[in-house]
Amino acid sequence: MTMRNILLGATMLCAATTPAYAYAQDAAPATTGDTTDYGNEIIVTASKRSQTLQDTPIAVSVTSAADLQNSQIRDLIDLQSAVPSLRVSQLQSSANTNFIIRGFGNGANNAGIEPSVGVFIDGVYRSRSAAQIGDLPNVERIEVLRGPQSTLFGKNASAGVISIVTQKPQYEFGGSVEASYGNYDAIVLKGNITGPISDTIAFSLGANFNRRDGYAQDLKLGTDVNDRNRWGVRGQLLFEPTDALSIRLIGDYDKIDENCCIAGNVIAGPTVAITNALAGGVSVDANNPFSYRVYNNFLSSNEIENYGGSAQIDYDLGSLALTSITAYRKVQANTNQDSDFTGADLIGEKSDNVGIDTFTQEVRLTSDFDGPINFLVGGYYFNEKVDQQSAIRFGTQFRPYGDALIRAASGNALNVAMLEQTFGALEGAPTRYVGTFFRAGNGLDEDYQMKNEAFSLFGTVDFEVTDRLTLTAGANYTQDRKRFATDVVSSDVFSGINLDAAAYAPLRQALLVAQGVPAPTAAFLAANPTTTLPDGRSANPLAGLKAFQFLPPFLNVPNSVEPGRTKDKDLAWSVRAAYELTDTVNVYATYATGFKASSVNLSRDSRPLAVDLPAIRAAGLATTNLVAGSRFAAPEDSEVYEVGLKGQWSVAAVNIAVFKQSIKGFQSNVFTGTGFALANAGKQSTFGVEFDGSVRPVDGLNLTLAVTYLDPKYDSFVNSAFGDISGTKPAGIPDLSVSMGGTYTYEFAGGTKAIAHVDYSYESPVQIVEGLSGFPASVAQNLKREVNQLNASFTVALTNGFELGVWGRNLTNAQYLTTVFPAVAQSGSVSGYPNQPRTYGVTGRFKF
């Protein structure tokens, strides 16, 4: 019997049997204003049990619905301003978002690379960022679990978990409607309604609409860009036919149709003069990424559909509770981008059409015995299919652009037309290549498929040694299998030329003689083009042209040497001791391991491993200009040593964690200017301290402070895209991150409330990327990011349920680059994604 059948059978048992789980997590709908609860009643499910935050011996940050409302946090990108250990980066499209916790995380840019940070919505795993970034639904709270969580959450939680919990349907009729208007003609509409259908059935319906003009201007196309246009609907049914049985059904659909994302010019290299000439004027706003002015040939498009449904069944068996969560998700993301980010028509198409179908099934049994021992055991099944069609094609001006590059590289000794004629003549077909090099419409047509099946068995045991001391041990056994296939065809004729071919020896010899090399020596070197000269240069005078062979022939997989599959298994485990020092202060100590399965390189940059090249050549499979690379990255294994303290008093609360966390085989995916380099780091480790506290000095005033200090390093990373960077500090991880805020609620006679809120987030200066291909290390070292963001809101809430407020995010209009990268096919230039500028607006809300 398969694991899938076992779990489905348990689901049916869960639905058919009958006695009631005390739903401590069913908190009442959030109210406006200060909701910080110092009475030890904040309920979280970080350990898949309902516990108070105070009693949960895990480093977890909780953001309430009121916090989201006051700070105008609309999606997970905004959430990072409230959680200093979390970083979220929007990359080249609305479908590409990267989540990082404590400096660990990856997953964007490639459908075959799963994230290191797992995102769950109502217990359902969202495997790709396109399924996570829509406007947040009717949220009750967001829990950010820091550090490896594989014991309970399985694969892809090696760095942490983001768990979003939405409000359940209520048996009391109610709801809300909300409308916001802001700068850039931003309009946000939200509404939800909930209530009873019968004594045992409740429902809720919600919808949202978010539209905004772009905050950047495309001066060539004469339109705004980086707009927002998304909407969604969500429905729930809650069946509680008995006190023991609860069935929650959720269905949702959301759609994104946006123009995103602009890249500004950070460093203008020598190719800018060429693109300016081709564009007939300005092609980039040189060295000015924060002008929010760009020049493109066509609008980038992002059409993303995300929908699915889930069924959660909870059944109380007395001292045991059985839970089943069954879910299906579908993501269809169609994107296209002018990826050269210039006014010259270099890249005519860069499209990705990705479909992801995901089925998950979880079953768990939780005990609630009066004795000293309790347990949780469960199983999890995951089945996913990825189907991706991509294309990249030369634009109408890439041929003259390539000609200019070749002329510059050869000192005007060579040009495109001359090479076409010469190569053809030397092959005995003078017209073979005429007009074919860098021809408009040529490029790559790509098709990738991957099937991923995984299951895990997990469990934890709690042993109460005394009334104050609890020991916990847990384990998770996971098996993960992936099968992948590619069908990639290159029509880039120039990239299919073997510049070392014997047929071209006369041309090589003539070029060497023209450079002053004696004829006998020139003849020898021309016949042996792979020879390396004493000064390290290639003996082949055509070798410099290899840099312009952008899209070489592709060796598809599976083949007789490469099977196109991975199979991983792992036993992750954890041990923890939690001790109540007093009724208000708890301490804990944890050791835990984590696991992330192999990631597959589903991109045009997929190449055979170096160890496979000899067998590939021996089998006659080698394509022209084939080089080594990676088909996949091996699994990640993480571990953490952590001690923590949690205190909660009548007017204050504090959480402190000190940890040493490391990941062996960290899956690094770095853009090099023409493609992505996927590789495993030997080991990355981080020592860190996290502080999260709040205090209520007077009635109505709540102050919060969260601070994260991180000291990361690559203990070993020999084969990075920039050579051996062992011993260096990983880029993008600030030493210090701070979030602080204050909320003051004043209640007038009669019950009307005025709520003033302000929060500030800070990240210390940090190098943005490890390196930039083609640049000295000092260039990347001098490109740094520092974040200073101020947000505020003021709301008046009337007793009849009506609220009116004003708000602003990034009020000081702070500017920073989220990431930088070598400009596509433009040696010497650097592009970068600027942050979102100041936004502000007014919101009206009515709750009933």
Side-chain angles (χ1 to χ4, degrees):
M1 181 178 292
T2 66
M3 176 58 61
R4 178 176 181 175
N5 290 335
I6 293 172
L7 294 178
L8 288 175
T11 301
M12 290 185 283
L13 173 66
C14 186
T17 41
T18 5
Y21 192 23
Y23 294 103
Q25 66 266 40
D26 297 351
T31 58
T32 299
D34 175 17
T35 61
T36 302
D37 194 331
Y38 296 93
N40 205 32
E41 296 176 358
I42 300 175
I43 303 299
V44 297
T45 52
S47 60
K48 295 196 176 182
R49 291 176 177 269
S50 295
Q51 291 180 290
T52 65
L53 181 61
Q54 166 77 4
D55 291 334
T56 302
I58 298 173
V60 54
S61 301
V62 181
T63 305
S64 70
D67 297 330
L68 300 173
Q69 179 179 304
N70 290 334
S71 297
Q72 286 294 304
I73 295 173
R74 300 198 185 279
D75 56 27
L76 292 180
I77 297 174
D78 294 338
L79 181 64
Q80 61 186 323
S81 64
V83 182
S85 291
L86 172 68
R87 281 205 64 245
V88 185
S89 298
Q90 176 80 68
L91 301 176
Q92 77 267 28
S93 76
S94 297
N96 296 106
T97 308
N98 201 18
F99 302 92
I100 297 173
I101 294 178
R102 290 179 170 176
F104 299 97
N106 56 20
N109 294 308
N110 191 319
I113 302 177
E114 298 179 85
S116 301
V117 175
V119 176
F120 294 78
I121 299 180
D122 291 323
V124 176
Y125 176 52
R126 303 293 184 96
S127 67
R128 298 295 188 280
S129 60
Q132 302 158 357
I133 64 169
D135 283 14
L136 295 172
N138 196 20
V139 173
E140 181 178 297
R141 66 182 183 276
I142 301 177
E143 303 173 14
V144 178
L145 286 60
R146 309 186 296 269
Q149 305 296 328
S150 294
T151 301
L152 288 177
F153 291 90
K155 69 168 191 164
N156 310 123
S158 59
V161 164
I162 300 172
S163 177
I164 301 171
V165 180
T166 68
Q167 294 179 9
K168 279 188 172 184
Q170 303 294 310
Y171 285 97
E172 182 177 345
F173 182 76
S176 67
V177 291
E178 175 184 318
S180 293
Y181 182 80
N183 59 333
Y184 303 110
D185 204 20
I187 298 173
V188 177
L189 305 174
K190 290 183 178 182
N192 68 84
I193 187 171
T194 187
I197 296 176
S198 70
D199 291 343
T200 58
I201 303 175
F203 80 96
S204 68
L205 291 172
N208 61 277
F209 174 79
N210 188 342
R211 194 209 65 80
R212 185 201 66 212
D213 291 342
Y215 56 77
Q217 292 294 315
D218 191 314
L219 300 186
K220 182 167 185 178
L221 297 175
T223 185
D224 60 272
V225 289
N226 269 41
D227 63 1
R228 178 158 286 191
N229 184 19
R230 53 184 65 174
W231 62 273
V233 292
R234 180 180 175 88
Q236 297 189 61
L237 284 175
L238 179 62
F239 299 87
E240 294 181 317
T242 71
D243 291 340
L245 178 63
S246 172
I247 303 173
R248 183 185 185 188
L249 304 178
I250 303 174
D252 65 272
Y253 176 91
D254 60 74
K255 186 172 183 179
I256 295 175
D257 187 0
E258 299 175 346
N259 176 284
C260 180
C261 301
I262 67 162
N265 181 265
V266 180
I267 298 176
T271 59
V272 171
I274 303 175
T275 56
N276 284 347
L278 292 173
V282 178
S283 63
V284 296
D285 199 348
N287 306 305
N288 193 7
F290 298 111
S291 68
Y292 298 99
R293 296 191 299 265
V294 296
Y295 300 79
N296 291 304
N297 299 287
F298 60 88
L299 287 175
S300 298
S301 60
N302 299 263
E303 298 179 2
I304 304 168
E305 287 184 292
N306 171 37
Y307 57 88
S310 65
Q312 177 169 339
I313 304 171
D314 292 287
Y315 190 62
D316 188 353
L317 299 168
S319 56
L320 297 173
L322 185 62
T323 298
S324 166
I325 303 176
T326 307
Y328 170 78
R329 304 295 313 173
K330 171 72 175 183
V331 177
Q332 184 65 49
N334 302 324
T335 65
N336 193 14
Q337 186 176 52
D338 187 1
S339 294
D340 58 79
F341 303 114
T342 75
D345 186 16
L346 305 183
I347 305 298
E349 177 184 354
K350 168 57 175 69
S351 61
D352 293 291
N353 301 318
V354 183
I356 303 175
D357 293 82
T358 308
F359 172 82
T360 58
Q361 173 64 60
E362 178 178 2
V363 175
R364 63 179 183 264
L365 183 68
T366 308
S367 72
D368 187 19
F369 300 137
D370 293 332
I373 297 178
N374 276 286
F375 66 86
L376 181 154
V377 294
Y380 184 80
Y381 175 78
F382 175 89
N383 188 303
E384 184 170 81
K385 297 178 181 179
V386 177
D387 190 358
Q388 174 179 336
Q389 291 80 42
S390 302
I392 182 169
R393 305 186 195 283
F394 296 135
T396 58
Q397 293 180 316
F398 202 96
R399 181 176 170 85
Y401 177 71
D403 184 67
L405 294 179
I406 288 173
R407 288 177 183 272
S410 65
N412 276 322
L414 303 171
N415 60 71
V416 166
M418 180 264 241
L419 287 173
E420 290 173 336
Q421 295 168 0
T422 304
F423 288 156
L426 291 174
E427 292 180 20
T431 63
R432 172 175 293 168
Y433 298 120
V434 173
T436 64
F437 290 178
F438 308 121
R439 181 167 51 196
N442 283 9
L444 279 183
D445 289 287
E446 309 162 66
D447 189 296
Y448 308 97
Q449 294 184 345
M450 183 178 76
K451 295 181 179 180
N452 183 194
E453 187 173 36
F455 75 86
S456 61
L457 301 173
F458 59 88
T460 61
V461 177
D462 296 330
F463 176 49
E464 292 186 11
V465 181
T466 69
D467 289 344
R468 293 189 176 273
L469 175 63
T470 301
L471 303 180
T472 301
N476 183 305
Y477 175 77
T478 296
Q479 281 195 7
D480 182 272
R481 297 180 181 181
K482 294 183 174 76
R483 299 184 66 89
F484 56 96
T486 69
D487 184 9
V488 180
V489 179
S490 174
S491 56
D492 177 2
V493 179
F494 182 66
S495 293
I497 297 289
N498 180 6
L499 298 173
D500 295 325
Y504 306 146
L507 175 59
R508 293 193 293 267
Q509 183 174 350
L511 291 171
L512 289 168
V513 170
Q515 294 171 7
V517 178
T521 304
F524 173 80
L525 295 178
N528 298 274
T530 59
T531 301
T532 301
L533 299 177
D535 60 5
R537 291 182 299 124
S538 171
N540 186 351
L542 299 175
L545 303 183
K546 294 180 180 180
F548 311 129
Q549 294 182 307
F550 299 110
L551 304 171
F554 191 93
L555 176 62
N556 284 301
V557 66
N559 52 59
S560 62
V561 176
E562 300 173 289
R565 61 176 180 262
T566 65
K567 181 178 180 180
D568 305 316
K569 56 185 178 180
D570 180 80
L571 180 65
W573 57 282
S574 62
V575 291
R576 179 181 297 116
Y579 186 72
E580 294 184 24
L581 288 176
T582 69
D583 291 342
T584 57
V585 179
N586 296 352
V587 294
Y588 68 89
T590 298
Y591 172 80
T593 67
F595 169 71
K596 176 183 174 182
S598 296
S599 285
V600 178
N601 196 353
L602 295 183
S603 79
R604 65 186 61 90
D605 311 303
S606 175
R607 299 288 186 274
L609 296 172
V611 295
D612 290 331
L613 276 181
I616 287 171
R617 293 192 175 108
L621 298 174
T623 56
T624 304
N625 297 324
L626 181 65
V627 296
S630 66
R631 296 292 194 188
F632 58 89
E636 292 180 353
D637 291 300
S638 59
E639 68 174 2
V640 65
Y641 297 86
E642 182 175 320
V643 294
L645 179 147
K646 296 192 174 193
Q648 197 159 28
W649 302 272
S650 60
V651 296
V654 63
N655 300 293
I656 300 173
V658 180
F659 62 89
K660 180 65 179 291
Q661 185 172 329
S662 63
I663 290 185
K664 293 180 180 178
F666 175 74
Q667 296 169 0
S668 170
N669 192 41
V670 176
F671 186 67
T672 62
T674 56
F676 286 88
L678 176 64
N680 288 99
K683 183 180 180 182
Q684 178 185 340
S685 64
T686 298
F687 170 79
V689 179
E690 295 167 326
F691 172 89
D692 186 351
S694 58
V695 63
R696 183 181 290 159
V698 297
D699 286 345
L701 176 63
N702 187 60
L703 304 176
T704 62
L705 174 65
V707 180
T708 297
Y709 167 77
L710 299 175
D711 181 18
K713 71 173 181 177
Y714 284 124
D715 300 87
S716 174
F717 196 177
V718 176
N719 61 334
S720 83
F722 313 104
D724 186 354
I725 57 174
S726 302
T728 65
K729 177 180 178 179
I733 307 173
D735 293 339
L736 186 66
S737 300
V738 180
S739 295
M740 61 181 69
T743 302
Y744 181 68
T745 303
Y746 181 79
E747 185 169 349
F748 297 91
T752 295
K753 293 180 180 180
I755 305 104
H757 172 83
V758 62
D759 63 79
Y760 169 75
S761 61
Y762 169 77
E763 292 181 10
S764 60
V766 63
Q767 183 176 325
I768 301 175
V769 291
E770 258 103 40
L772 293 164
S773 295
F775 290 88
S778 59
V779 175
Q781 292 166 359
N782 290 327
L783 290 174
K784 297 191 176 184
R785 176 184 63 241
E786 181 179 10
V787 176
N788 290 274
Q789 182 168 314
L790 180 67
N791 311 310
S793 66
F794 179 76
T795 302
V796 175
L798 306 181
T799 55
N800 62 1
F802 179 73
E803 302 172 4
L804 184 65
V806 294
W807 54 268
R809 289 189 62 83
N810 192 17
L811 286 172
T812 60
N813 207 30
Q815 296 177 335
Y816 56 90
L817 294 169
T818 60
T819 192
V820 296
F821 53 93
V824 178
Q826 299 164 69
S827 178
S829 290
V830 175
S831 300
Y833 295 114
N835 70 306
Q836 183 172 292
R838 178 193 299 117
T839 56
Y840 51 86
V842 59
T843 296
R845 185 181 299 109
F846 179 65
K847 298 180 178 180
F848 56 92

